[in-house]
Amino acid sequence: MGFHHPVSLSLPLPLPHSPSTQRRRPSITPISISVRFDDRSDTSDFRHLLSHCAHIQPIAESSFLHRQQSLANALNALNASAYIAEPGASAAYFANISGSSWHLSERPLLLLVVPEARISVLTPAFEETRARLLPVPSLSAHGVFYPTWAEDADPYEIAVGALPLPRGDMDTDGSTIFVDGDVRHFIADGLAHAAPRTRVVSAPVEIRQIRERKSREELEILKCANEVTVLAIRAVRDKLHIGIRESEARRLLQRALASAGLRGGDGLVLFGENAALPHGSGTDRALGPSDLILIDSGGSLHGYESDVTRTFYLGESRPTRRHVKLWNLVREAQALAMDTAHAGTVTSAVDKAAREFLKRFGVAQYFTHRLGHGIGLEGHESPYLRGGSDDIIQTGHTFSNEPGVYIEGEVGVRIEDCFYIDEDGKPVYLTIGVGGPPIHPWLV
């Protein structure tokens, strides 16, 4: 049976120097909030999380067919002969062949797509039966083709032979094969050797953008995955206490994410000065009374990833003014970046907005990584919110927004929420359904 500890907290608001802060919060008078925390004794029961995304369905077959047609249209427009991918995010996007449904090995299994939207799967001959069990949608009335290669054959010659390439004795036939950016080098080299008169090059931006811009169906999955990740962090927070170790808290996090229905759920749990190293220190610190807690976590729902970071105190923590001030600066940097991220904006400008704000308060040198990354079938995918990038933000793009301040030997603060660009070109947090970003360091 749980019981509650009422706690009264005096919370300084973000500093008033920022115009964005002044616009949102005209008063800078400290506020008093009564927070109630549930001290539950059963640390294993996170079953209540499962219902949150129970209504979300995987991608429909019709959506895969639409994607294949979009890819075929792009191949025609670019005068390319084929697009080739290995099992992974892109093959999963176009043909439902993920890296988990077919693990990579030295024996190539390749997705081949030609401008007529015909789908072929190059398969080791002894694996043909297993390959045909893959649920690969196809626009063709004849279904999916399965060219096979025997162990003593050259798989790349078989692959090239299945493509509509011009045949002749010219030094070059003028044709082009696009390979996915994640195709391994020996695969690309094998294809180039088997088709010496054909250009074998990485797929251009026109191909990449098909997957970068998310559909409404994809966004619904991403929203729920990110929402339930926030709920999992909140559930874990309610079971933390001064003295608990990072490894114990991480096990709670893994249990919560699994209970929420996310595959591969895991994350970083870092206390105090350990959070000053953005990807962790490898130690197992016990939570001290003045430590901030950083949890960076995520998992996969129907193949789509979540990524959420929260830095927070417990009700019984004894915070320092300096660290609360740093938390507020990071939170405001996140809000300013969000204000900047509209369709038509260069991605580097969003990173710059957060970095310039932190520079005004003398802490930009502690913001040591890019502001954000794309997210979808991969936890990190293009485009990226970083300095030096000239990508243009478009409707349907999804990004993480994760400014941080990392002072080694002292403290680390990061707040991360992913967002998408809606049909009006405006940014919307994927976590807004469960409250969006926290407003002070005692909330998650």
Side-chain angles (χ1 to χ4, degrees):
M1 180 177 179
F3 57 94
H4 299 274
H5 302 288
V7 182
S8 181
L9 307 174
S10 181
L11 305 176
L13 294 177
L15 297 179
H17 299 80
S18 161
S20 176
T21 302
Q22 292 173 346
R23 182 174 63 253
R24 290 186 191 81
R25 309 175 184 95
S27 171
I28 61 170
T29 304
I31 58 175
S32 181
I33 296 178
S34 179
V35 184
R36 302 178 70 85
F37 297 94
D38 190 2
D39 183 15
R40 303 170 192 165
S41 59
D42 181 5
T43 60
S44 62
D45 189 1
F46 296 105
R47 287 174 294 180
H48 65 285
L49 297 171
L50 183 60
S51 62
H52 189 75
C53 294
H55 65 290
I56 298 295
Q57 298 297 310
I59 298 298
E61 180 178 0
S62 59
S63 298
F64 287 107
L65 302 183
H66 176 76
R67 296 168 178 182
Q68 291 170 12
Q69 188 60 62
S70 295
L71 176 58
N73 292 343
L75 293 174
N76 277 300
L78 295 166
N79 196 29
S81 297
Y83 168 83
I84 297 178
E86 292 192 86
S90 293
Y93 181 83
F94 290 114
N96 201 27
I97 307 175
S98 68
S100 60
S101 64
W102 195 283
H103 294 285
L104 298 181
S105 75
E106 76 281 6
R107 295 183 175 98
L109 179 135
L110 301 176
L111 170 68
L112 316 174
V113 184
V114 298
E116 296 76 29
R118 189 186 75 221
I119 300 292
S120 299
V121 178
L122 176 78
T123 309
F126 76 98
E127 296 271 43
E128 181 180 359
T129 299
R130 183 165 76 96
R132 286 180 177 273
L133 294 175
L134 293 171
V136 181
S138 172
L139 278 168
S140 171
H142 301 288
V144 179
F145 294 86
Y146 291 89
T148 62
W149 58 277
E151 289 281 78
D152 58 352
D154 183 337
Y156 309 106
E157 289 185 358
I158 304 297
V160 169
L163 301 177
L165 299 177
R167 305 289 183 243
D169 298 325
M170 299 178 292
D171 290 337
T172 176
D173 59 26
S175 60
T176 299
I177 295 174
F178 291 143
V179 294
D180 182 70
D182 287 337
V183 162
R184 292 171 292 176
H185 286 297
F186 76 87
I187 301 287
D189 290 345
L191 292 167
H193 185 266
R197 295 187 297 274
T198 297
R199 295 171 62 242
V200 178
V201 296
S202 291
V205 65
E206 291 88 347
I207 302 293
R208 297 199 308 271
Q209 284 181 345
I210 298 173
R211 182 157 74 88
E212 285 178 359
R213 301 179 68 178
K214 308 301 187 289
S215 67
R216 187 171 300 177
E217 186 181 20
E218 292 177 283
L219 291 174
E220 289 305 310
I221 300 174
L222 284 164
K223 286 177 188 177
C224 212
N226 282 270
E227 288 172 2
V228 82
T229 300
V230 172
L231 297 179
I233 298 174
R234 289 175 183 167
V236 169
R237 175 206 56 189
D238 291 345
K239 299 179 185 298
L240 301 182
H241 56 83
I242 302 302
I244 193 172
R245 291 199 169 273
E246 291 170 335
S247 60
E248 296 175 82
R250 185 179 180 187
R251 285 193 291 272
L252 287 172
L253 178 66
Q254 291 168 334
R255 207 174 299 157
L257 294 169
S259 297
L262 298 183
R263 295 188 61 181
D266 203 350
L268 291 168
V269 178
L270 305 171
F271 300 157
E273 65 184 28
N274 280 0
L277 299 177
H279 286 165
S281 66
T283 66
D284 191 17
R285 181 187 175 98
L287 181 64
S290 298
D291 286 347
L292 277 164
I293 300 161
L294 188 153
I295 296 181
D296 182 345
S297 68
S300 173
L301 178 65
H302 301 316
Y304 287 82
E305 300 291 332
S306 66
D307 198 356
V308 176
T309 304
R310 292 292 183 263
T311 306
F312 57 93
Y313 287 114
L314 299 182
E316 61 266 37
S317 299
R318 297 199 297 269
T320 68
R321 284 185 175 274
R322 170 175 164 81
H323 293 172
V324 171
K325 175 181 176 180
L326 290 173
W327 190 98
N328 282 321
L329 289 175
V330 171
R331 173 66 186 93
E332 186 63 16
Q334 187 193 46
L336 285 169
M338 192 69 166
D339 287 346
T340 307
H342 287 73
T345 303
V346 178
T347 49
S348 59
V350 186
D351 178 278
K352 183 178 180 180
R355 210 168 295 277
E356 287 294 315
F357 173 77
L358 294 175
K359 183 177 180 180
R360 288 166 49 192
F361 294 94
V363 295
Q365 70 271 30
Y366 302 118
F367 179 20
T368 51
H369 55 71
R370 66 194 173 206
L371 176 72
H373 53 78
I375 188 167
L377 287 167
E378 296 175 283
H380 291 190
E381 61 182 42
S382 63
Y384 295 89
L385 302 177
R386 62 173 184 84
S389 171
D390 58 1
D391 290 325
I392 303 297
I393 295 175
Q394 300 182 56
T395 298
H397 274 164
T398 48
F399 300 97
S400 70
N401 180 1
E402 49 181 309
V405 168
Y406 311 96
I407 304 175
E408 292 191 18
E410 181 186 345
V411 69
V413 178
R414 179 165 69 253
I415 304 171
E416 175 185 15
D417 293 80
C418 294
F419 67 94
Y420 68 98
I421 305 299
D422 70 10
E423 294 177 355
D424 295 326
K426 298 177 181 178
V428 180
Y429 278 121
L430 291 168
T431 54
I432 198 66
V434 290
I439 60 172
H440 60 69
W442 281 267
L443 292 180
V444 170

